[in-house]
Amino acid sequence: MRKLAIAVALQCGVVSAAIALPPAHEVDDLPKLKQEEQHSVVSQRVTTYFTRYHFKNMELDNALSEQILDRYLKMLDFNKMFLLQADVEQASEYQHLFDDMIHSGKLSPAYALFEKALQRNFERYAYALSLLDEEQPFDFSVAGDRYQYDREDAQWATSEAELDELWRQRVKYDALNLTMAGKTWPEVVETLGKRYNNALKRLTQTNSEDVFQTVMNAFARSVEAHTSYLSPANAERFEQNMNLSLEGIGAVLQSEFDYTVIRSLVPGGPADKSGAIAPEDKIVAVAQGEDEDSEFVDVVGWRLDEVVELIKGPKGTTVQLQVLKANQAAGAKPTEISIVRDTVKLEDRAAKVEIKTVEEGPYAGRTMGVIAIPSFYHNLSEDVKNLIAEVNETEAEGVIIDLRGNGGGSLQESIALTGLFIDEGPVVQVTDGSGRREVNGDRDGETFYDGPLVVMVDRYSASASEIFAAALQDYERALIVGENTYGKGTVQQHRGLQRRFDFFDEELGSVQYTIAKFYRIDGGSTQMRGVTPDVQFPTVTDTETFGESSQENALPWDKIDTADYQPLQLVSSGKLEELRALKEKNISENPEFNYVLEDAAEYQRQKDKTWISLVLEERKAEEKQDEQKALERANERLVRAGFEPVESLENVPEDFELPDPYLNETLVLSFELIDTMKLAMH
């Protein structure tokens, strides 16, 4: 072991009298991988589902084979930090063989490529360990030193010396982040030593199913963005997710390269209730218990199932997470979040109503019923009927349906909910891969609520939410306000691969694949474009970064024939322009939206940046500037709410609630719309 560490150090040009942290494993510990008996059958069955039943009606040919190889290499080394150009050129001999391999189930070349990637990974982490010495801290004052953290569009390294320099930057970057978090140099060495040795350990634990899953998902994602193969373990987790047994905090997690990423939150679950975590956030460390001294375990580079085991736990216990927010720049200080584990209760997922009263301005004293719908669950439309009845019992002048953060759910409930606000007519069109069109709609001939209606959406509103909002927009029945929605207009089917007379010792997993697309009643798809609100509010990010259009290989937007429907024309185009002008005026005068606009401008400045400084003073100055800005905003908000300013963010009163400028502005627009409707009636 000692000889290996010294050999790596000499090979990589590291001058050090002692290697403080040698690798905990040897390269000979890497497994010899070969496909298992059942994989040939599974590969053929996956091929059948993806070629015969997928919406795209695609063929497994040489053109797709090239895409599969490219995606496979990306999955093996997404940031081009392990493989050499020579490895990639050698792999290119298989570019027209992956289709034949997958179709036949004979995957030996793919396993050989995976083993080469394992070897390259081992070499890099061993080299990273060779750079750590308790007695020789990194020099964080070297002017111009930087880490290129995004190499997706970079060229493959042509030599080990080039990789060495990339990894010098990577290790120094990791060390600088820990230094800024308050760790001493020996603690930095210890933490990174554990991290890199854990990475080596995970390499030695790689099994045949890991390779097979990677190959099948390279195939699946080359077909389409929402198509995937689930290994037996992941298929079991999928079933748990459907039954709401979601890892103790109510979050669906996925692995993206070195990070564990929040895929979605269960409405009403512990993570959702915390308000501190959102889709696309990255979990970088986990601690047990609620003590301030609880030790965080660094989980960067961990297997997803290992991270899940850390996060899961008995109801009522606390887990702490260190999270990199989705819109944070690389190298930003992680946010620490405490979440009490719980089971997701049905009543927590249910729609709720709140009567909101405007406190100041020309509409002061007027009230609206705000119905928040977290998901399109079974029996939602009946619940909303009861909530509207509650609104009608008050003096509220109208209803706001809040779909922010609603990722969808039951298509039938989306149709039924729409039916509460129209007499009858089409709601959504669905087409399959052969072009057959089905029009689904409301046929009861009754309108449950015919009063003023406004629908709020944001970039997390997806699928069934988009169908509902689009239908009411096309009917001109409601005013749609907020951010452009996510743009998921596809329908997936989940199928197990097990057959009745299979006699394999292992389970076979399952597949999820796209079988249809949703279309609005005006003929346009909700896919990619989502729903553009009648009145748009400013947002920090953009659809290129978050939304269906950011997904690789997503199905395109297209248009079919318009369904037979009659718009209600409750909101004239002229009135819409007036509402948009009012919104612009109010936003320009609202400090909360000024914050959003400032953050959006900063996001645009930073979004194409691919490097970060490795100079400690520069990074400290950036961190101090961010903290100062956050404190200034907190104090401005406190003063506006009648509180005293504070000296640090930790001193913000617990009873202070952050304002919701989007809802407040929606209330103003709602009353403006109501007054217009009253004038039209007279």
Side-chain angles (χ1 to χ4, degrees):
M1 196 74 66
R2 178 75 171 172
K3 290 179 181 177
L4 176 63
I6 294 174
V8 170
L10 292 174
Q11 176 187 356
C12 299
V14 178
V15 180
S16 177
I19 303 301
L21 293 170
H25 294 272
E26 299 183 13
V27 71
D28 290 341
D29 295 336
L30 292 176
K32 303 300 181 185
L33 299 168
K34 62 179 181 179
Q35 71 180 86
E36 298 173 8
E37 179 186 6
Q38 73 276 12
H39 288 155
S40 179
V41 172
V42 174
S43 184
Q44 293 173 48
R45 289 179 186 174
V46 170
T47 300
T48 298
Y49 276 113
F50 291 174
T51 56
R52 291 188 186 177
Y53 307 124
H54 197 281
F55 180 87
K56 286 182 73 171
N57 292 314
M58 41 67 65
E59 291 185 19
L60 183 52
D61 54 16
N62 282 346
L64 186 60
S65 182
E66 293 179 13
Q67 296 178 44
I68 296 170
L69 174 60
D70 288 343
R71 199 166 299 273
Y72 188 54
L73 290 171
K74 184 174 182 179
M75 294 172 80
L76 294 178
D77 185 6
F78 80 99
N79 216 22
K80 299 176 181 171
M81 294 283 289
F82 297 97
L83 296 175
L84 291 166
Q85 177 67 36
D87 300 325
V88 176
E89 290 174 355
Q90 187 176 4
S92 66
E93 65 184 82
Y94 302 126
Q95 64 178 340
H96 291 157
L97 293 179
F98 261 79
D99 55 335
D100 301 318
M101 287 191 293
I102 290 170
H103 188 270
S104 67
K106 298 176 181 178
L107 304 168
S108 297
Y111 277 74
L113 285 176
F114 200 101
E115 284 193 333
K116 170 60 74 173
L118 280 184
Q119 178 188 337
R120 294 301 190 200
N121 272 259
F122 189 97
E123 291 169 359
R124 289 298 104 205
Y125 284 115
Y127 175 71
L129 285 163
S130 77
L131 296 177
L132 299 174
D133 188 332
E134 283 192 10
E135 298 179 0
Q136 292 189 10
F138 285 123
D139 182 358
F140 294 121
S141 64
V142 180
D145 204 5
R146 59 176 59 174
Y147 169 50
Q148 198 80 20
Y149 59 80
D150 183 354
R151 288 181 38 79
E152 184 177 359
D153 296 326
Q155 299 296 313
W156 296 95
T158 58
S159 66
E160 291 200 6
E162 193 176 339
L163 281 179
D164 288 348
E165 173 58 15
L166 294 174
W167 275 82
R168 180 197 68 79
Q169 297 172 0
R170 158 75 185 270
V171 176
K172 191 172 182 180
Y173 166 77
D174 289 345
L176 180 54
N177 287 343
L178 294 172
T179 299
M180 293 183 64
K183 290 187 180 293
T184 64
W185 180 250
E187 290 172 332
V188 169
V189 171
E190 180 184 10
T191 300
L192 293 184
K194 288 180 179 178
R195 179 185 296 184
Y196 301 149
N197 267 317
N198 278 333
L200 291 177
K201 178 183 176 182
R202 286 188 291 278
L203 294 176
T204 67
Q205 294 173 335
T206 305
N207 57 47
S208 178
E209 186 60 45
D210 295 326
V211 187
F212 184 73
Q213 179 173 259
T214 306
V215 178
M216 288 300 102
N217 275 315
F219 175 26
R221 294 306 167 89
S222 297
V223 175
E224 187 259 344
H226 296 287
T227 296
S228 59
Y229 162 76
L230 289 82
S231 68
N234 285 336
E236 181 181 357
R237 190 173 297 121
F238 178 88
E239 294 299 332
Q240 291 175 344
N241 290 348
M242 293 301 98
N243 293 321
L244 300 179
S245 300
L246 293 171
E247 323 308 0
I249 63 170
V252 179
L253 310 177
Q254 71 179 25
S255 180
E256 287 188 4
F257 311 117
D258 278 350
Y259 289 101
T260 297
V261 181
I262 304 294
R263 174 66 176 152
S264 61
L265 301 179
V266 180
D272 182 41
K273 284 182 175 180
S274 76
I277 199 167
E280 305 302 313
D281 289 351
K282 298 180 178 71
I283 298 172
V284 297
V286 180
Q288 306 300 329
E290 52 191 327
D291 297 337
E292 291 185 4
D293 297 330
S294 297
E295 182 178 356
F296 276 94
V297 177
D298 182 286
V299 296
V300 176
W302 280 39
R303 293 171 62 103
L304 179 62
D305 52 0
E306 293 176 331
V307 180
V308 166
E309 286 303 313
L310 275 184
I311 294 175
K312 286 166 65 175
K315 173 183 174 181
T317 59
T318 299
V319 62
Q320 296 185 62
L321 307 176
Q322 285 185 350
V323 171
L324 288 175
K325 303 300 291 179
N327 58 355
Q328 277 185 307
K333 188 175 181 179
T335 302
E336 291 189 6
I337 300 164
S338 291
I339 300 176
V340 178
R341 300 178 177 101
D342 200 356
T343 54
V344 180
K345 305 180 185 69
L346 181 60
E347 57 267 29
D348 291 333
R349 298 176 59 236
K352 294 180 175 61
V353 67
E354 188 175 358
I355 306 301
K356 287 285 188 180
T357 303
V358 177
E359 296 180 355
E360 57 185 21
Y363 306 105
R366 297 173 67 174
T367 58
M368 286 283 289
V370 180
I371 298 176
I373 301 177
S375 68
F376 283 81
Y377 56 87
H378 179 64
N379 217 38
L380 167 67
S381 54
E382 289 300 315
D383 285 353
V384 173
K385 275 187 179 181
N386 294 331
L387 297 178
I388 291 175
E390 288 184 34
V391 174
N392 288 337
E393 290 175 2
T394 71
E395 295 183 1
E397 299 180 45
V399 171
I400 295 172
I401 300 290
D402 188 351
L403 296 180
R404 290 179 294 174
N406 185 322
S410 166
L411 171 63
Q412 291 307 314
E413 285 297 336
S414 179
I415 295 169
L417 188 66
T418 305
L420 299 183
F421 307 105
I422 61 173
D423 283 342
E424 60 182 357
V427 173
V428 62
Q429 305 186 84
V430 184
T431 67
D432 62 17
S434 64
R436 287 176 298 198
R437 181 178 70 151
E438 182 177 306
V439 181
N440 297 304
D442 174 56
R443 298 179 176 85
D444 62 9
E446 297 179 1
T447 299
F448 183 79
Y449 174 78
D450 61 3
L453 183 65
V454 177
V455 177
M456 294 186 71
V457 293
D458 67 5
R459 64 185 183 276
Y460 299 114
S461 305
S463 194
S465 289
E466 295 174 292
I467 291 169
F468 172 77
L472 292 184
Q473 187 178 54
D474 290 343
Y475 275 111
E476 299 178 27
R477 171 64 184 90
L479 180 72
I480 314 299
V481 302
E483 301 171 312
N484 206 92
T485 61
Y486 187 89
K488 185 181 183 297
T490 57
V491 187
Q492 280 71 46
Q493 189 166 66
H494 182 251
R495 285 284 182 264
L497 296 170
Q498 206 83 25
R499 297 292 180 270
R500 183 177 179 183
F501 295 109
D502 286 338
F503 297 104
F504 299 111
D505 292 333
E506 304 293 334
E507 296 291 322
L508 302 190
S510 62
V511 287
Q512 180 171 283
Y513 55 98
T514 297
I515 59 170
K517 283 178 77 172
F518 290 131
Y519 293 84
R520 303 169 65 130
I521 55 177
D522 75 353
S525 176
T526 54
Q527 173 67 7
M528 294 289 274
R529 297 187 182 180
V531 177
T532 301
D534 300 310
V535 180
Q536 283 190 270
F537 291 153
T539 182
V540 174
T541 59
D542 52 37
T543 54
E544 295 175 6
T545 305
F546 186 88
E548 184 76 2
S549 58
S550 70
Q551 300 293 315
E552 285 190 80
N553 225 17
L555 292 180
W557 179 89
D558 62 342
K559 187 175 175 65
I560 62 174
D561 291 340
T562 302
D564 184 15
Y565 75 102
Q566 292 296 321
L568 301 175
Q569 298 180 329
L570 296 181
V571 185
S572 68
S573 58
K575 187 58 191 177
L576 277 181
E577 290 304 318
E578 290 180 24
L579 291 174
R580 290 168 186 152
L582 176 63
K583 179 262 304 185
E584 291 295 334
K585 175 179 178 296
N586 292 344
I587 282 177
S588 67
E589 299 171 354
N590 188 329
E592 289 296 332
F593 279 114
N594 286 337
Y595 299 152
V596 174
L597 293 171
E598 288 173 6
D599 291 344
E602 179 64 20
Y603 169 79
Q604 290 298 325
R605 282 194 295 270
Q606 297 286 344
K607 74 171 187 173
D608 294 326
K609 186 179 176 183
T610 60
W611 58 271
I612 189 168
S613 172
L614 294 175
V615 179
L616 179 59
E617 292 306 315
E618 291 179 5
R619 291 279 297 280
K620 278 186 174 180
E622 292 172 1
E623 185 179 80
K624 184 177 181 181
Q625 184 178 11
D626 290 342
E627 291 176 351
Q628 184 63 32
K629 182 169 73 172
L631 181 59
E632 288 175 0
R633 287 185 180 179
N635 279 329
E636 288 170 3
R637 285 172 169 143
L638 287 169
V639 170
R640 285 197 295 270
F643 290 83
E644 290 294 321
V646 295
E647 293 185 1
S648 71
L649 293 172
E650 289 75 18
N651 296 329
V652 173
E654 291 185 4
D655 58 342
F656 172 71
E657 292 186 10
L658 281 174
D660 185 347
Y662 296 95
L663 178 56
N664 293 337
E665 180 60 23
T666 299
L667 288 169
V668 170
L669 294 174
S670 299
F671 292 120
E672 185 70 19
L673 176 65
I674 288 168
D675 290 347
T676 301
M677 294 173 70
K678 287 177 181 176
L679 288 173
M681 292 174 64
H682 292 85

